[in-house]
Amino acid sequence: MSAIYPGSFDPVTNGHIDIARRSARIMGHLIVAVLDNPHKKPLFSVSERVSLLRDVFSRDSNIEVDSFTGLLANYAQSKNIQVIIRGIRGPEDLVKETPYAVWNNQLAKGLAQSLETLYFTAKPTLAHISSSIVKEVAAYSIPSGQHDAVLAQAVPPTVHEALKVKFSK
């Protein structure tokens, strides 16, 4: 069975990677799908995020990386997939994600398909990591060289290097 793990992944963190690999083991095949959201101003372009994700998952034969625009239910239908994977770091994520799960399920029914959301809880050692905090720490610490070791623990090496390039300018 296949599933979609959608997100902005701006940037991908070790928490995202853990959720993707754990869910891919259970589902058999996973599409990590980068949302091109015109309402957000990302640090990395969609093509940069896709490239970073492909590098991270280059050895994972059961993980595919793609991008999409528009509604997730429409994208899932185009891929003939009925399961969405979402990572949950804490109660606030569940509160935020629940309406999306309900909407995706209802939209899929309008497309004459089923679309269920499965939640994977973050490992306690990774639950504090968010892309927003990673970007904030990188913005202040990379130019000064402070906190580099802490930042390096939150993201894979290729992303760490990409952050250095972005914030060294």
Side-chain angles (χ1 to χ4, degrees), residues 33 64 78 82 139:
E64 172 187 344
S78 76
Q82 299 176 331

Side-chain angles (χ1 to χ4, degrees), residues 59-73:
R59 293 190 176 108
D60 298 273
S61 61
N62 59 341
I63 298 177
E64 172 187 344
V65 178
D66 196 12
S67 65
F68 72 102
T69 58
L71 294 173
L72 179 56

